[in-house]
Amino acid sequence: MHEFSVTSQIVQSVLAEAEKRGAKKVTEVDLVVGKLTFLGLEQVQFAYEVLAKGTILEGSKLVIEEQEGVVKCDKCG
């Protein structure tokens, strides 16, 4: 369920930005996800498709790039 909640926030953000720009249709959404988020990418894809239905995102392509995490110590760098 973590994935559904996160994806819901992403969809709402994209819809808000599209509305600000007067978009009538969104064809592609590019998303960078850090591996340390521990999100299931298949679940994110599924949630996106469900949440996009009935909106200007319906039928759009979600492109997910998974990025390696970076950990840095504040004391030693």
Side-chain angles (χ1 to χ4, degrees):
M1 289 321 253
H2 176 65
E3 287 83 359
F4 193 86
S5 175
V6 169
T7 307
S8 178
Q9 292 174 355
I10 291 166
V11 166
Q12 292 304 316
S13 294
V14 172
L15 288 172
E17 190 62 32
E19 184 178 333
K20 277 196 258 180
R21 297 171 183 261
K24 295 191 183 342
K25 183 75 178 156
V26 174
T27 57
E28 183 173 299
V29 174
D30 296 321
L31 180 64
V32 178
V33 176
K35 285 187 178 182
L36 296 178
T37 63
F38 300 105
L39 289 172
L41 302 184
E42 288 179 12
Q43 290 87 350
V44 170
Q45 183 69 48
F46 177 78
Y48 179 83
E49 290 171 13
V50 169
L51 293 163
K53 286 188 190 231
T55 73
I56 64 171
L57 296 176
E58 188 169 4
S60 66
K61 181 179 178 182
L62 177 63
V63 178
I64 303 174
E65 176 189 338
E66 194 170 32
Q67 195 171 64
E68 290 293 328
V70 178
V71 179
K72 183 177 177 184
C73 177
D74 287 337
K75 290 186 180 183
C76 66

